[in-house]
Structures are given as structure tokens and as C-alpha cells.
């Protein structure tokens, strides 16, 4: 090869190499342009991310940006050129308190050349404050220069969301704690959280509950397992009722409502809500009790209406029977050995028993007309003991324990008779063979605490009559019904079921109450509480009653709509010396009263009559004859004519009555010195 050929080849080779280098340079330029284009596109699309490279120099002290994305103008209010020229312009936008913290952390990161990340707030030229999150990684160049490749994020919206979440959580926590129902969070059947109401309901603090099992609240392991299975491992909301025990041992009736925190995944736990229904159940029980009492009161009212309707006519018939029997007995006194006399006694005994039964009906129905007076119960009961001993029989001991200094009471003496008679008869029937009945009296003062929970008792002073027997006792089931009318455990024909109902009516009528202490197989005690009367009893008057009917004289206007009773009352009055003007209706009585030729000494009238009541009749007659004395007779005073409407300067006699009782009432009235006009 010639020298020219060799030189030509070298030139061609160099040219080829040059072309290749130019091509590579162009390719690199294109790639660089493409990369720059992509970077610009990336920076343009990353509106919330700023990419930067920061050089700290070889000494780590001088700071300058070697690269920063255009979003720096949005993030910090400076252009790329300004940031590249003076890095401090970016730092100056950070709040001073945050900048100081960053500088401390940055110095430590520079010393250890470790990753550096922080959160700070930046104030824009508009005054708006935005949250920034910085992340930088250090690397050392070959020339010793320290470069930080970093990213800055705008996390303002995230911080706002966090703050909103915190406020929401605070609100939820406040509601959780202030909620008036108990709420707890359970996981794996253990407490995670419990609000104040839950803790107060069961007497625990939240600290003592967290991490503990609710087993401590349940009465039995079986109940705990039942509730646990149904509530704490369920994928749906469920509720059930149970009883839970407080820390002091008291039980509360509750409804538990549980909902899974993550439906379908019971392992995530459950929210349990508790509704304390203890008071509600108590109120329901009280309502049921009041309903039962209302039904009982309606029963009493129904029987009372029945008794009231029957009493008038029945007492009239009894009055006729007793009156005629009394007349026959007077005639038969000279032939007492004859069988007829014994038959008459049996008729009178049956009629008197019927009259007692009617009074019992009226007493428990609270329709019996009463004549209350101030009583010393010791003296009143003392007078009844002889009769009581005959009533109960010789095989039963009657023990009498009066309390000295007994307070007075204000009630009808006949009511004490009815109370003791019925209690002693019941006590006698409860004793199978031989035994003892104890009657005692005492003074008792009750305060509000002693009467708490009772609808029939109020604080105050009471005189108590206690009747205790050594009989077979009363079961709780029977005790719930003993004061109901016609309720009896005795055989048919052995009792009417009115005895205790009568006592209940009398005691209630006198604003008292009854306690019963008994159980099967042990003694029974009835305690009758009668309010103390604060006015002392008047001095006892000498008994001037004659052994036979009181004789009298004078002219009596007798008004009675029942023909049979009108006839027998006329005979009774004439028998003891009175002249009688009988009238079967108020109109007839008014006509007789208008006759000025007839002198009248007294008016004796029935209270309830078809044409009008006796009180109104007496008012009209006394308008004609001022000062005329009046004696009212009735089986009871109904709602139309109450005892308060009967004038106080008059007398009253309960049907049926004997000749002696009628004569005594009328004689006492006519001999009275003070008569109101």
C-alpha cells in the first residue's frame, strides 16, 4: 500500500468517527431534550409536589439549589431563578418557630449524613399558611460535595382532614361520655372503653374495667355464657334483657343492645349499649298493683252499691220480723216452757244475725252511717271481753294485755265490736283444738320513713289493737286476698268472706291501716292502726238506762213508706206510751203537720223514701213547726243524703232496731233541754 493510500484511509476513518460522535451527540441532545420535556411535564402535573436538589458544598454549610421544580413559585412565592440564586428565599417563607426546629434537625442530619424529613408551615405572599412535608436523602459526590435529593409535599388538605377528624373524634368522645345511657366497647369479650353512665350504673371506674371481663356483672356463669354467645360474637345488631350486678351487690334490670364494629367480622369487637329499666319495671309493677287495687276498689264499689240497694228494703223487713218477734216474746214470757217460745228465740237470733251481716256489707262498702265518739279503747274492749270469751269457747284462752295511758280515738263504738268479733272468730277458726288468742293495745308513733312505700299509711300517732292467735298461719298467696269481699278459705256454709272485708272497710273509713304478720305453721297477728284523737274524751255519764224500754208520753208523727215497718214501729211506740200519727208518704206527713189542731212532740222519719228523703221532709215540717225534734231512721245514708246533711240537733237510729233502742233514743231526745230552732 502506498503512502497516499494509507493516509486516505486514516482520514476516512477519522471522518467516520467524527460522524459517529456527532450522531451520538445529536442522539444525546434529543434524549436530553426528551428527558427535560418529560421532567417539565412531570413538574407541571405534580401540582402538590416540589422536587429539588440542594447542595451543601464540601463543608456542608453553604446552601444552594442545583435543581428545583417550577412548583416552587406556588409553594413559596419565589421563581425558580430566584430560588436558584438565593436558597434562603425559600427558607424565609417558613414560620419562624418551625424554621428553628428544622434548623436543629437539619444540623443533626448534616452531621450524621442521614435522611432528613420534617413538617413545617409556609406563609405565602397572600398571607395564606400552608402545611409542607419535606423528605431529603444525602449523597456525597466524588469531589466531596454533599447533595440532598429531596421532595416537598403540600399536605395542607391532609392536615385539615386530620384536624377535622380530631374534632370529630373529640365530639364523638364528648357524646360518648355525656350520653345518658351506658355505652361500652368490647373486644374478645373484654372491656376496651366504657362511658361515665356505664361506670356509674354499675359502680366502677373505667380504669377498673378496661381489659376485664364483664363476667363480674352477671349472677351466674350460665347467664354470662348465654349473653356472651348472643351479644359479643354476632354479626348483626341484637338486644336482650338480663339482670346485672353492681359493685355493691345490688342488681339492675337492663336491656343490652350490641352492634358489631365491623359488620360481618365479630373479631373486630362490638359496641354495647345498656338501658337500665329497673325503675321502669318497678313502675310497671306498681302500675299493675294499682290496677289490681283499682279492680279491687271497683269490686268493693260494686258490692257496696249492691249492699246499699238491698240494705234499705232488707233492714225494713228485718225490722218487721224483729218487731213482731219481740211482741210475741213479750206475750210468751209467761209460758217460757212452751216450744213456741224457743222457736221465737231462734227467729230473733236468725234475724239479728241477718242484721249483723247487713251491717258488715255496709261497713266494708263504707256506706254505714256512723256515730263516732271519743273512745278509750281499753274500756271499750274491756266491756266486750265477756262476750268474746263466750264466742271463742272454753278450749281457747283469751289473753288481754291493755297498755296503760292509751291515747283516745274517735270512732263508732259498734265498729270496735265488729273489728274484735270478726278477728276473734277468725282466730278461733284458725286454732284446730286448743290454743290462745291475745288481744293487746299500745300507742305507736310512725315517722315518714316507717310509712315509706305504703299508700295506706301516713306519719302520725296511732292506737294499735293487736290480735294474735296460735293457729295454723296464713300463706302468702292467701294473704294477698284476705281483705277481698267474699274471699274465704272456709268450707261452704262456714263463712261468708265478709269478716276481714268488713274490718278493712271500717279501718279505712277511719283513716287507719292494717298490718298482717303470718306464715304457714306459726302464729298470726293482725295489727289495727287507728289514728290518735287529740281531743280528750268527755267524762263518763252515769248510765240511767232502765232495764226495760224507757216509758214516754207525747204525740209522734211517724213517717215510713214500708207498710209492715210502719205498722210495727207504731206498735212499738204505742207500747211504751206514745201516741202515734202514722204517715206512709211525705205528702201525708206534710198534710198532718199543717193541721194546727194537732199537737206534735217529735217527728220520726225514714231517711230514704220514694217520694223524697226524710231530711228534706224534716226541713219543711220544721219550717211549719219551728223547734220540732226529729229522729231519723235508716239502714244507711247514701250518696244523695250524707250524714253531714242531717241536722246536728237531731237524732239517728240504725235499722233494724228494738223497742228498747227506739224508746231510749226518743226519750233522750225529748228530754233534751237544748233544741235548735
Amino acid at each position: 500500500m502506498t503512502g497516499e493510500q494509507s493516509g486516505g484511509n486514516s482520514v476516512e476513518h477519522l471522518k467516520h468517527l467524527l460522524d459517529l460522535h456527532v450522531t451520538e451527540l445529536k442522539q444525546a441532545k434529543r434524549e436530553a431534550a426528551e428527558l427535560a420535556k418529560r421532567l417539565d411535564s412531570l413538574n407541571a402535573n405534580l401540582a402538590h409536589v416540589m422536587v429539588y436538589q440542594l447542595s451543601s458544598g464540601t463543608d456542608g454549610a453553604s446552601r444552594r439549589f442545583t435543581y428545583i421544580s417550577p412548583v416552587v413559585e406556588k409553594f413559596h412565592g419565589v421563581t425558580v431563578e430566584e430560588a436558584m440564586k438565593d436558597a434562603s428565599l425559600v427558607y424565609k417563607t417558613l414560620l419562624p418557630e418551625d424554621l428553628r426546629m428544622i434548623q436543629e434537625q437539619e444540623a443533626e442530619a448534616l452531621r450524621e449524613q442521614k435522611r432528613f424529613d420534617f413538617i413545617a408551615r409556609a406563609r405565602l405572599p397572600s398571607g395564606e399558611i400552608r402545611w409542607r412535608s419535606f423528605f431529603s436523602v444525602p449523597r456525597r459526590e466524588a469531589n466531596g460535595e454533599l447533595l440532598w435529593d429531596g421532595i416537598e409535599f403540600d399536605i395542607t388538605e391532609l392536615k385539615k382532614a386530620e384536624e377535622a377528624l380530631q374534632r370529630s373524634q373529640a365530639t364523638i368522645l364528648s357524646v360518648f361520655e355525656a350520653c345518658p345511657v351506658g355505652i361500652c366497647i368490647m373486644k374478645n369479650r373484654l372491656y376496651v372503653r366504657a362511658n361515665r353512665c356505664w361506670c356509674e350504673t354499675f359502680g366502677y371506674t373505667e380504669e377498673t374495667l378496661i381489659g376485664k371481663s364483664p363476667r363480674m356483672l352477671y349472677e351466674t356463669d350460665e347467664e354470662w355464657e348465654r349473653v356472651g354467645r348472643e351479644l359479643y360474637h354476632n354479626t348483626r345488631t341484637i338486644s336482650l334483657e338480663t339482670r346485672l350486678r353492681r359493685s355493691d351487690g345490688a342488681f339492675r334490670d337492663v336491656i343490652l343492645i350490641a352492634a358489631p364494629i365491623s359488620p360481618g367480622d365479630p373479631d373486630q369487637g362490638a359496641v354495647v349499649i345498656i338501658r337500665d329499666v329497673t325503675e321502669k319495671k318497678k313502675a310497671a309493677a306498681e302500675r299493675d298493683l294499682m290496677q289490681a287495687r283499682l279492680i279491687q276498689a271497683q269490686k268493693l264499689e260494686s258490692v257496696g252499691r249492691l249492699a246499699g240497694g238491698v240494705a234499705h228494703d232488707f233492714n225494713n223487713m228485718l225490722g218487721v220480723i224483729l218487731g213482731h218477734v219481740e211482741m210475741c216474746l213479750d206475750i210468751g214470757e209467761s209460758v217460757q216452757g212452751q216450744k213456741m217460745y224457743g222457736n221465737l228465740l231462734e227467729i230473733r237470733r236468725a234475724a239479728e244475725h241477718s242484721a249483723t251481716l247487713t251491717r258488715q256489707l255496709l261497713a266494708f262498702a263504707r256506706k254505714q252511717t256512723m256515730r263516732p265518739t271519743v273512745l278509750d279503747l281499753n274500756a271499750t274492749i274491756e266491756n266486750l271481753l265477756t262476750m268474746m270469751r263466750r264466742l271463742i269457747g272454753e278450749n281457747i284462752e283469751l289473753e288481754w294485755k291493755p297498755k296503760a295511758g292509751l291515747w283516745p280515738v274517735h270512732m263508732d263504738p259498734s265498729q270496735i265490736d265488729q273489728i274484735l268479733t270478726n278477728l276473734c272468730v277468725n282466730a278461733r277458726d284458725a286454732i284446730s283444738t286448743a290454743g290462745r288468742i291475745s288481744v293487746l293495745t299500745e300507742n305507736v308513733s310512725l315517722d315518714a320513713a316507717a310509712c315509706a312505700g305504703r299508700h295506706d299509711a301516713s306519719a302520725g300517732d296511732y292506737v294499735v289493737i293487736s290480735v294474735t292467735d296460735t293457729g295454723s298461719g296464713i300463706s302468702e298467696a292467701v294473704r294477698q286476698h284476705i281483705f277481698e269481699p267474699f274471699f274465704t278459705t272456709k268450707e261452704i256454709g262456714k263463712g261468708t268472706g265478709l269478716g276481714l272485708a268488713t274490718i278493712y272497710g271500717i279501718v279505712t273509713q277511719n283513716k287507719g291501716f292494717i298490718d298482717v304478720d303470718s306464715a304457714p305453721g306459726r302464729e298470726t297477728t293482725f295489727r289495727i292502726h287507728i289514728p290518735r284523737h287529740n281531743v280528750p274524751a268527755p267524762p263518763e255519764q252515769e248510765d240511767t238506762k232502765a232495764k226495760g224500754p224507757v216509758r214516754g208520753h207525747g204525740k209522734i208523727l211517724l213517717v215510713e213508706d214500708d207498710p209492715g215497718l210502719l205498722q210495727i214501729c207504731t206498735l212499738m211506740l204505742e207500747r211504751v206510751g206514745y201516741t202515734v200519727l202514722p204517715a206512709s208518704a211525705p205528702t201525708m206527713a206534710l198534710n198532718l203537720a199543717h193541721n194546727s189542731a194537732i199537737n206534735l212532740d217529735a217527728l220520726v222519719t225514714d231517711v230514704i223514701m220514694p217520694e223524697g228523703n226524710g231530711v228534706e221532709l224534716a226541713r219543711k215540717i220544721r219550717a211549719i213547726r219551728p223547734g220540732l225534734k226529729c229522729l231519723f231512721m235508716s239502714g244507711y245514708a247514701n250518696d244523695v243524703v250524707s250524714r253531714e246533711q242531717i241536722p246536728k240537733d237531731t237524732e239517728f237510729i240504725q235499722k233494724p232496731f228494738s223497742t228498747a233502742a227506739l224508746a231510749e233514743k226518743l226519750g233522750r231526745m225529748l228530754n233534751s233541754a237544748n233544741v235548735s230552732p
Side-chain angles (χ1 to χ4, degrees):
M1 180 179 295
T2 63
E4 291 181 358
Q5 290 176 332
S6 175
N9 289 335
S10 296
V11 171
E12 289 295 326
H13 180 67
L14 288 172
K15 184 179 179 182
H16 178 68
L17 291 174
L18 182 60
D19 289 340
L20 287 175
H21 182 63
V22 171
T23 301
E24 289 175 355
L25 286 175
K26 289 181 178 180
Q27 181 63 29
K29 186 176 181 180
R30 284 195 298 271
E31 289 178 356
E34 183 64 27
L35 183 60
K37 183 178 179 182
R38 290 179 180 177
L39 184 59
D40 290 341
S41 176
L42 182 63
N43 286 330
N45 291 325
L46 294 176
H48 300 288
V49 180
M50 184 184 78
V51 180
Y52 65 89
Q53 188 179 74
L54 181 67
S55 172
S56 297
T58 56
D59 58 358
S62 58
R63 295 181 180 86
R64 63 182 180 82
F65 287 108
T66 59
Y67 176 80
I68 192 165
S69 59
V71 79
V72 67
E73 187 169 358
K74 177 182 177 182
F75 275 21
H76 296 280
V78 297
T79 64
V80 172
E81 292 76 13
E82 291 171 337
M84 294 289 287
K85 185 177 181 180
D86 185 0
S88 66
L89 295 175
V90 174
Y91 283 88
K92 288 178 180 178
T93 63
L94 302 179
L95 298 187
E97 56 268 31
D98 292 356
L99 180 59
R100 285 192 297 270
M101 180 185 64
I102 291 169
Q103 289 171 341
E104 293 172 0
Q105 295 177 0
E106 187 181 44
E108 181 183 353
L110 286 171
R111 285 193 303 271
E112 300 179 8
Q113 295 186 19
K114 66 178 182 179
R115 189 184 71 184
F116 176 44
D117 56 274
F118 60 90
I119 295 175
R121 292 164 293 174
R123 187 187 302 276
L124 301 183
S126 64
E128 180 185 5
I129 295 177
R130 306 286 292 182
W131 284 89
R132 307 284 188 241
S133 176
F134 297 85
F135 179 81
S136 297
V137 179
R139 60 185 175 88
R140 182 74 68 174
E141 292 289 278
N143 61 2
E145 183 179 13
L146 184 62
L147 297 178
W148 294 83
D149 297 325
I151 300 175
E152 179 183 339
F153 298 93
D154 186 332
I155 60 169
T156 304
E157 301 307 319
L158 178 61
K159 291 294 290 185
K160 289 181 179 179
E162 287 180 354
E163 291 172 354
L165 179 60
Q166 290 174 354
R167 289 193 298 271
S168 177
Q169 289 175 335
T171 301
I172 292 173
L173 181 60
S174 176
V175 173
F176 177 79
E177 287 297 333
C179 189
V181 297
I183 306 174
C184 76
I185 299 174
M186 308 290 298
K187 190 171 183 180
N188 299 323
R189 296 173 74 172
L190 299 176
Y191 284 108
V192 176
R193 195 74 189 263
N195 74 345
R196 184 176 64 252
C197 183
W198 184 287
C199 295
E200 289 176 351
T201 299
F202 299 112
Y204 293 97
T205 63
E206 189 177 28
E207 291 73 18
T208 59
L209 292 177
I210 301 304
K212 302 289 182 60
S213 167
R215 169 64 188 91
M216 68 180 82
L217 303 182
Y218 291 84
E219 187 172 9
T220 64
D221 290 334
E222 292 75 14
E223 182 66 6
W224 158 238
E225 290 299 330
R226 179 185 76 85
V227 175
R229 283 193 304 271
E230 294 194 44
L231 288 186
Y232 305 120
H233 289 292
N234 218 298
T235 58
R236 60 186 177 85
T237 300
I238 192 170
S239 68
L240 56 82
E241 185 172 347
T242 186
R243 294 175 73 233
L244 297 181
R245 180 169 45 207
R246 284 177 44 85
S247 61
D248 59 9
F251 281 93
R252 308 295 293 178
D253 295 299
V254 300
I255 294 176
L256 294 175
I257 303 171
I261 293 176
S262 178
D265 186 4
D267 292 336
Q268 293 298 314
V271 175
V272 182
I273 300 174
I274 189 172
R275 287 178 54 208
D276 189 337
V277 295
T278 306
E279 300 307 321
K280 183 178 179 181
K281 292 190 73 171
K282 286 182 180 178
E286 182 67 20
R287 185 172 60 251
D288 292 342
L289 179 61
M290 294 302 292
Q291 180 68 22
R293 287 172 178 164
L294 174 61
I295 293 173
Q296 174 66 9
Q298 290 172 338
K299 284 182 183 179
L300 291 172
E301 184 64 25
S302 297
V303 177
R305 285 196 297 268
L306 174 63
V310 169
H312 183 264
D313 292 339
F314 190 51
N315 278 329
N316 284 349
M317 289 185 286
L318 289 174
V320 174
I321 294 171
L322 286 170
H324 283 290
V325 167
E326 187 177 295
M327 297 293 179
C328 293
L329 285 172
D330 286 346
I331 297 172
E333 283 179 351
S334 60
V335 287
Q336 291 185 12
Q338 296 183 5
K339 185 177 180 181
M340 181 64 71
Y341 189 83
N343 292 339
L344 290 172
L345 289 176
E346 288 301 321
I347 293 172
R348 184 173 68 178
R349 187 176 296 111
E352 288 174 345
H353 179 73
S354 298
T356 300
L357 181 61
T358 305
R359 282 196 297 271
Q360 288 179 342
L361 279 168
L362 294 171
F364 90 80
R366 306 184 200 176
K367 287 184 175 291
Q368 188 175 12
T369 301
M370 294 298 129
R371 286 288 193 175
T373 185
V374 180
L375 297 178
D376 177 354
L377 284 184
N378 283 344
T380 304
I381 295 173
E382 189 80 42
N383 294 331
L384 297 172
L385 290 181
T386 302
M387 182 187 70
M388 291 297 108
R389 288 189 173 93
R390 287 200 303 266
L391 185 67
I392 63 177
E394 296 180 354
N395 62 319
I396 299 175
E397 176 189 357
L398 180 60
E399 186 178 38
W400 167 230
K401 298 179 179 179
K403 174 72 174 180
L406 202 67
W407 294 325
V409 298
H410 189 248
M411 61 186 302
D412 192 315
S414 66
Q415 293 179 323
I416 301 299
D417 183 0
Q418 292 184 58
I419 290 174
L420 277 183
T421 299
N422 284 299
L423 286 180
C424 287
V425 167
N426 274 7
R428 179 200 64 190
D429 294 343
I431 298 172
S432 56
T433 54
R436 184 180 67 257
I437 298 174
S438 299
V439 180
L440 64 88
T441 56
E442 59 182 326
N443 297 326
V444 173
S445 296
L446 301 178
D447 56 17
C451 300
R454 299 195 58 153
H455 73 285
D456 57 349
S458 57
D461 294 335
Y462 293 87
V463 177
V464 178
I465 306 171
S466 298
V467 177
T468 303
D469 67 71
T470 57
S472 56
I474 305 173
S475 69
E476 180 61 26
V478 171
R479 196 154 68 92
Q480 297 294 327
H481 302 283
I482 56 176
F483 295 116
E484 294 179 6
F486 306 116
F487 175 83
T488 180
T489 58
K490 299 176 183 178
E491 299 175 7
I492 296 175
K494 298 293 185 179
T496 62
L498 283 175
L500 292 177
T502 298
I503 295 173
Y504 180 85
I506 291 172
V507 174
T508 305
Q509 186 180 40
N510 286 279
K511 298 181 174 57
F513 63 96
I514 307 173
D515 279 336
V516 183
D517 181 14
S518 183
R522 66 177 179 87
E523 64 183 23
T524 299
T525 300
F526 283 83
R527 295 183 180 87
I528 310 298
H529 294 71
I530 302 170
R532 173 186 183 180
H533 186 64
N534 292 316
V535 178
E540 293 188 7
Q541 297 179 354
E542 183 181 354
D543 187 5
T544 58
K545 185 187 297 185
K547 292 183 179 180
V550 177
R551 300 290 298 178
H553 60 86
K555 190 166 290 186
I556 307 299
L557 176 57
L558 176 65
V559 188
E560 171 59 59
D561 63 285
D562 184 274
L565 192 59
L566 180 63
Q567 180 189 19
I568 194 62
C569 286
T570 300
L571 292 175
M572 286 179 176
L573 291 172
E574 290 176 343
R575 178 187 168 203
V576 293
Y578 293 100
T579 301
V580 181
L581 297 177
S584 60
T587 52
M588 184 183 300
L590 281 171
N591 290 334
L592 290 172
H594 277 97
N595 188 345
S596 58
I598 300 176
N599 293 322
L600 294 178
D601 294 289
L603 168 68
V604 178
T605 179
D606 191 12
V607 174
I608 306 300
M609 293 177 286
E611 292 186 15
N613 66 72
V615 176
E616 181 63 22
L617 172 64
R619 187 187 65 79
K620 292 177 180 178
I621 291 179
R622 293 179 89 178
I624 302 168
R625 296 174 179 260
L628 183 68
K629 296 182 180 182
C630 299
L631 172 63
F632 295 98
M633 50 185 183
S634 180
Y636 78 108
N638 68 4
D639 295 334
V640 177
V641 180
S642 67
R643 183 68 190 101
E644 287 71 20
Q645 292 176 278
I646 296 177
K648 297 189 181 301
D649 61 336
T650 61
E651 288 288 340
F652 180 90
I653 189 169
Q654 182 86 32
K655 292 180 181 180
F657 44 78
S658 65
T659 303
L662 178 61
E664 191 275 332
K665 283 275 188 181
L666 193 56
R668 185 173 62 192
M669 183 180 72
L670 290 173
N671 292 327
S672 174
N674 299 317
V675 179
S676 299

